[in-house]
Amino acid sequence: MSSLSAEMTAAEMAEPPKPGRRPRRWFGFVGAGCLVAVGYTDPGNWATAIAGGARYGYTLLSVVLLSSVMALFLQWIAARVGLVSGQDLAQLCRARYGRRTSLALWLLCEVAIVATDLAEIIGSAVALQLLFGVSLPVGVLLASALAFAMLAIQLIGQRSLESVVAAMILFAGGCFIAQLAMANPDWHAASQGLVPRSEIIANAGLLWIACGILGATVMPHNLYLHSNLLRTRGQAMASRTVEHMKQALRATHWDTSLSLAFAFCLNASLLILAAAVFHHHGYADVESLGDAHRLLSPLLGNHWAGLLFAGALLACGLSSTITATLAGQAVMEGFLNLRIKPWQRALLTRSLAIIPAMAVAILGGDSETTSLLVLSQVILSLQLPFAVIPLVRFASSAGLMGQWRLSGPLQWLAWLIAGVIVTLNMVLLWQVFSGA
């Protein structure tokens, strides 16, 4: 069993069923959603949400909502495929596609993981700079080192890792609640922002940020990770009867839904905060995390606002490093049948991501970090179809999924989401290359 295995789950589920033990029996399927959801709150989300809220007010809240709904549905499909088939998305691609196609999909996913790690390095470095006054290059080095400290928690156990990650995200949530209370947003205007507008597609600037939000919310490597986490937990089931599978799927559904709903609240809070503070006061050009931090306290009239912002950013940046590393393990193991230790995987991705991060930190400084963060999320958006289309195909396969396959309205919805993602990316590319 790989390093992503759930040993506690195996021991727990090997026990015969006992009266009154059902909640404990299926507790083993809870927690994967937390690890996946943390990837939806990484610093890349911060950059796109702050840029979108400051420039366009509450307009892009509809994109955050729709992206979160799509992410929830796709993560539910990924978990379902892993649990039912006993294989994760990467393994299925290697088994069912030709070698060239499989290798191409692997390389594309690795690009997405490096882009994610880049966002996490820069975000954590900015947070360390804001909290402790270190230079941005030093922050980049410290953030890279702290990633290995986070991974050391996994040596204690998977449950310990999930608990620490959950605690950090709850801390970030508390920080956002406090900041929103200080900002006192226009909740009526925010509710109107949840309604999609055609100008998002027509306006090149809006679409660029929208695709960044899409890439930051529906993250391709998270689909691989979620299917892997549920594959290992599904393999630990002592019985795979229809009733037991229904219960496992139900537990997975609630775990995924609640975790991603919380991630949506964090992302929406970021955009609402930027709209209520920066856009409302005429600071539409606020894009960098440093500028946001510097302006929050004076505009809100509370010195705690900036500290809460930086603390939440650091918590999100450090915890999301776990997602990227575990996803990298799952992808490398699934596509290449190559198993390496978590620290080795982290060293690989961090080595590739630290070069552009350090270059921007030294040459561009704070003014360029947000542009790189948004670009990294647009790269994720462009990678999405190459993960979503295989996922929907496998989930719809009767030979692979049996009675648990997607069919009817669910299948049509899955293909509709895939179509929306592809269309948005095609429009974005057309606007970029045509100069529209």
Side-chain angles (χ1 to χ4, degrees):
M1 191 173 291
S2 72
S3 58
L4 297 176
S5 61
E7 297 177 0
M8 291 182 67
T9 304
E12 191 173 85
M13 302 189 73
E15 300 178 5
K18 299 177 182 179
R21 290 290 302 279
R22 180 174 293 179
R24 176 176 172 82
R25 178 182 178 86
W26 301 110
F27 182 72
F29 291 96
V30 176
C34 178
L35 284 180
V36 170
V38 72
Y40 292 95
T41 60
D42 77 343
N45 295 68
W46 287 58
T48 54
I50 289 173
R55 191 178 305 171
Y56 303 109
Y58 301 106
T59 302
L60 289 172
L61 265 179
S62 60
V63 177
V64 177
L65 175 61
L66 292 175
S67 297
S68 298
V69 171
M70 288 193 291
L72 171 58
F73 187 58
L74 292 174
Q75 294 294 165
W76 174 76
I77 294 175
R80 188 183 184 92
V81 167
L83 183 60
V84 173
S85 71
Q87 300 177 78
D88 59 42
L89 181 56
Q91 290 176 324
L92 289 170
C93 288
R94 178 164 60 93
R96 294 176 174 249
Y97 292 139
R99 179 172 176 78
R100 290 183 179 179
T101 301
S102 179
L103 288 176
L105 291 174
W106 169 66
L107 288 173
L108 288 169
C109 190
E110 291 289 1
V111 170
I113 293 172
V114 171
T116 302
D117 211 49
L118 174 62
E120 290 156 1
I121 290 177
I122 293 177
S124 298
V126 170
L128 290 168
Q129 182 185 50
L130 300 177
L131 286 170
F132 305 109
V134 301
S135 67
L136 205 54
V138 172
V140 168
L141 295 176
L142 288 175
S144 301
L146 286 172
F148 295 98
M150 288 291 295
L151 288 172
I153 300 173
Q154 194 180 24
L155 299 176
I156 304 174
Q158 188 76 5
R159 284 296 181 200
S160 298
L161 180 65
E162 292 170 1
S163 298
V164 170
V165 168
M168 296 181 78
I169 295 303
L170 288 174
F171 167 76
C175 291
F176 283 127
I177 291 174
Q179 291 175 88
L180 286 176
M182 298 175 194
N184 191 25
D186 183 345
W187 292 109
H188 177 69
S191 64
Q192 291 180 323
L194 294 173
V195 180
R197 302 180 186 180
S198 59
E199 63 179 299
I200 295 175
I201 301 295
N203 185 301
L206 271 169
L207 184 62
W208 176 262
I209 299 295
C211 284
I213 291 174
L214 178 66
T217 306
V218 191
M219 307 179 81
H221 63 284
N222 266 349
L223 301 176
Y224 288 95
L225 174 60
H226 210 173
S227 63
N228 182 279
L229 291 172
L230 268 296
R231 170 185 69 83
T232 56
R233 298 184 184 201
Q235 289 174 346
M237 290 175 62
S239 171
R240 294 178 65 88
T241 63
V242 171
E243 182 59 29
H244 286 169
M245 185 60 71
K246 283 182 179 179
Q247 293 173 3
L249 288 170
R250 189 178 301 117
T252 299
H253 167 75
W254 282 108
D255 178 47
T256 303
S257 299
L258 294 176
S259 297
L260 292 188
F262 187 76
F264 161 72
C265 291
L266 292 185
N267 289 329
S269 297
L270 267 170
L271 194 142
I272 292 171
L273 182 67
V277 179
F278 307 131
H279 186 79
H280 177 71
H281 288 91
Y283 291 91
D285 58 345
V286 174
E287 292 186 347
S288 76
L289 298 173
D291 286 343
H293 174 265
R294 283 189 290 271
L295 290 170
L296 267 178
S297 291
L299 291 177
L300 292 179
N302 192 311
H303 72 280
W304 284 102
L307 184 62
L308 291 171
F309 179 88
L313 176 60
L314 183 61
C316 290
L318 291 180
S319 57
S320 57
T321 61
I322 301 299
T323 299
T325 301
L326 295 182
Q329 283 182 279
V331 166
M332 186 169 284
E333 182 179 330
F335 277 113
L336 306 181
N337 198 25
L338 177 63
R339 301 181 181 182
I340 61 176
K341 296 179 179 180
W343 70 265
Q344 294 172 327
R345 175 65 217 192
L347 181 62
L348 176 62
T349 53
R350 291 260 147 166
S351 298
L352 294 173
I354 200 173
I355 297 174
M358 187 62 74
V360 169
I362 295 174
L363 301 177
D366 184 62
S367 61
E368 296 297 327
T369 54
T370 298
S371 297
L372 189 58
L373 282 173
V374 175
L375 175 61
S376 70
Q377 304 311 295
V378 174
I379 291 174
L380 290 179
S381 177
L382 295 173
Q383 305 301 316
L384 263 179
F386 302 101
V388 171
I389 292 175
L391 175 65
V392 177
R393 286 191 61 192
F394 297 144
S396 304
S397 171
L400 178 67
M401 300 291 290
Q403 71 181 91
W404 310 109
R405 73 183 183 94
L406 291 183
S407 59
L410 289 179
Q411 186 181 35
W412 284 106
L413 178 59
W415 283 117
L416 175 62
I417 290 174
V420 168
I421 292 171
V422 171
T423 301
L424 282 176
N425 283 315
M426 290 179 64
V427 173
L428 174 65
L429 290 174
W430 177 80
Q431 288 185 349
V432 169
F433 289 108
S434 67

